[in-house]
């Protein structure tokens, strides 16, 4: 009788585990959910913000390839930087019954309804690169050390101006140097991290008078660029040149990414600066168009965030969640989304200049020299 009871309980347990597997969040009875060995192939919904920046194209491609290699089906959507489109795409993924979501948001605070729906359908959510805010239903976050990206950008500007040396030590150089600041989109949680990281190294030199923001615009709210829009950065720089630099030179520009850097550079070219007189401009993403400009001496630096590694990390997290495991975090403190602190895996980034782009980008197979010369990956 006892034995019978035990057998019945095991059968019940097996049944409930199987049911759990069908709901999306559980690993089911077959631990090879992603290894191709399961009875039913799992699907991962992947939402990416836009396709004008090359980085998101690379991200989408690498995530898709990684997931497919792991044996999953992939539903990948790009939203053209339009928030309602992204909401609708994610709604549809949930309706279709994807098993896990990897979301690179446009506005990190605009997906709360979708996060609630995912929770109700038992679909785990991974925030990709950008934090999802204002909702507890975020299981994991894969990103780079975004504050440190900003520190690297600020430090590279100081190095370019000779205020610190290659080892990061102050040289005693007092300038004064005129600089302008271009930050990212206010609805992107990363933008504040990049800006605060950069300001943590620039502000002491602004306070000391070594750096002068001639426009007087040095608060995030004054220098943020909606949608990370290159054209908006260009027209803001046009204005700054017209208002503050009729009789003065710009000596440096902090730009939070390559698109903003290129916008500022184009405005300065139109304002009479050429490769020889162009001040150092920072960037981020190691976009091919910017790496070409770095090689030509038009842009000073960019930050290389290897999207192949980020994609691989998100695939690993998806796999873990599908197998009912908690993905390994290396930061459980930094990313408070307003409701919960989301366990995160932060990757490291590198500063790229003319001197080291070859070893960082060519030797690692990210680009070929021909890509750099053409400024294109096609
Ligand atoms: C990303 C950057 C990117 C920017 C604009 C940020 O969230 O971290 O790599 O340049 O968005 O798309």
């Amino acid at each position: 009788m006892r034995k019978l009871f035990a057998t019945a309980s095991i059968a019940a347990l097996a049944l409930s585990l199987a049911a759990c597997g069908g709901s999306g969040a559980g690993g089911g009875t077959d631990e090879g959910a992603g290894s191709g060995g399961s009875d039913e192939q799992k699907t991962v919904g992947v939402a990416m913000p836009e396709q004008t920046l090359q980085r998101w194209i690379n991200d989408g491609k690498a995530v898709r390839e990684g997931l497919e290699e792991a044996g999953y089906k992939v539903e990948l959507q790009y939203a053209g930087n339009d928030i309602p489109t992204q909401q609708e795409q994610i709604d549809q993924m949930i309706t279709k019954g994807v098993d896990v979501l990897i979301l690179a948001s446009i506005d990190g605070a605009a997906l709360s309804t979708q996060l609630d729906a995912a929770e109700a359908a038992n679909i785990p959510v991974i925030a990709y690169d950008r934090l999802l805010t204002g909702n507890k239903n975020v299981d994991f976050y894969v990103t780079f050390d975004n504050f440190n990206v900003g520190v690297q950008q600020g430090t590279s500007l100081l190095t370019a101006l000779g205020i610190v040396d290659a080892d990061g030590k102050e040289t005693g150089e007092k300038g004064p140097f005129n600089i302008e600041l271009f930050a990212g989109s206010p609805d992107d949680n990363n933008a504040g991290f990049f800006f605060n990281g950069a300001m943590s190294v620039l502000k002491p030199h602004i306070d000391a008078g070594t750096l002068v923001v001639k426009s007087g615009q040095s608060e995030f709210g004054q220098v943020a660029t909606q949608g990370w829009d290159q054209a908006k950065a260009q027209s803001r720089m046009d204005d700054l040149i017209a208002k503050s630099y009729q009789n003065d030179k710009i000596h440096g520009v902090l730009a939070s990414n390559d698109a903003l850097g290129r916008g500022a550079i184009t405005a300065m070219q139109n304002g009479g600066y050429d490769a020889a007189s162009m001040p150092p401009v920072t960037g981020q993403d190691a976009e091919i168009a910017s790496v070409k400009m770095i090689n030509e001496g038009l842009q000073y630096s960019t930050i290389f965030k290897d999207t192949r590694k980020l994609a691989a990390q998100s695939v690993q997290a998806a796999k873990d969640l599908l197998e009912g495991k908690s993905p390994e975090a290396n930061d459980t403190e930094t990313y408070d989304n307003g409701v919960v602190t989301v366990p995160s895996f932060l990757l490291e980034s590198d500063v790229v200049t003319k001197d080291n782009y070859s070893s960082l980008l060519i030797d690692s197979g990210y680009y070929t020299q021909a890509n750099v010369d053409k400024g294109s990956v096609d």
Side-chain angles (χ1 to χ4, degrees), residues 136-158:
K136 67 174 175 27
N137 302 321
V138 187
D139 294 272
F140 200 68
Y141 181 33
V142 292
T143 191
F144 290 85
D145 185 342
N146 295 306
F147 187 87
N148 193 49
V149 167
V151 170
Q152 290 175 323
Q153 292 171 325
T155 306
S156 93
L157 188 57
L158 294 177

Side-chain angles (χ1 to χ4, degrees), residues 49-50 53 55-56 81 105 129-130 143-144 146 188-191 194 227-228 256-259 284-285 305:
E50 49 113 341
L53 283 201
R55 80 147 285 183
W56 298 115
N81 242 353
S105 58
D129 194 80
R130 299 171 171 174
T143 191
F144 290 85
N146 295 306
D188 176 354
N189 190 65
N190 286 346
F194 301 144
W228 292 93
S256 280
N257 82 350
D258 286 342
Q284 169 178 193
D285 292 335
K305 302 195 305 188

Side-chain angles (χ1 to χ4, degrees), residues 157-358:
L157 188 57
L158 294 177
T159 313
L161 293 172
I163 298 171
V164 301
D165 65 19
D167 300 324
K169 283 231 305 274
E170 295 199 8
T171 59
E173 171 64 63
K174 292 275 173 259
F177 298 110
N178 299 324
I179 62 162
E180 293 297 335
L181 313 168
F182 289 76
S185 194
D187 52 8
D188 176 354
N189 190 65
N190 286 346
F193 276 83
F194 301 144
F195 186 69
N196 292 338
M199 288 308 266
S200 73
V201 296
L202 297 180
K203 181 94 182 4
H205 298 283
I206 295 173
D207 291 345
T210 307
L211 297 176
V212 179
V213 184
K214 275 214 84 205
S215 66
Q217 299 175 11
S218 57
E219 297 298 321
F220 180 76
Q222 298 172 303
V223 304
T225 315
Q226 186 63 44
W228 292 93
D229 187 341
Q230 179 169 335
K232 287 202 173 82
Q234 184 177 334
S235 76
R236 182 166 162 258
M237 185 54 114
D238 285 338
D239 278 0
L240 296 177
I241 292 172
K243 292 198 187 115
S244 306
Y245 293 96
Q246 284 314 299
N247 303 311
D248 274 306
K249 286 236 156 306
I250 305 168
H251 299 122
V253 175
L254 174 87
S256 280
N257 82 350
D258 286 342
L260 304 181
R262 290 197 299 269
I265 289 169
T266 306
M268 287 189 280
Q269 284 176 315
N270 294 339
Y273 293 81
D274 60 16
S277 58
M278 187 63 70
V281 178
T282 66
Q284 169 178 193
D285 292 335
E287 291 222 304
I288 194 63
S290 290
V291 179
K292 178 173 192 279
M293 289 166 92
I294 288 173
N295 195 28
E296 292 167 350
L298 275 171
Q299 183 170 323
Y300 176 71
S301 67
T302 185
I303 305 296
F304 177 42
K305 302 195 305 188
D306 194 334
T307 47
R308 297 169 299 191
K309 291 188 184 155
L310 185 62
Q313 206 60 47
S314 75
V315 171
Q316 185 57 49
K319 230 171 150 178
D320 289 340
L321 288 166
L322 283 169
E323 289 170 8
K325 298 188 225 154
S326 300
E328 186 200 333
N330 63 6
D331 185 311
T332 51
E333 280 167 17
T334 308
Y335 288 99
D336 179 351
N337 82 347
V339 183
V340 286
T341 301
V342 184
S344 312
F345 196 95
L346 312 187
L347 292 157
E348 291 305 321
S349 51
D350 290 298
V351 180
V352 176
T353 62
K354 189 172 180 164
D355 291 341
N356 68 359
Y357 83 85
S358 185

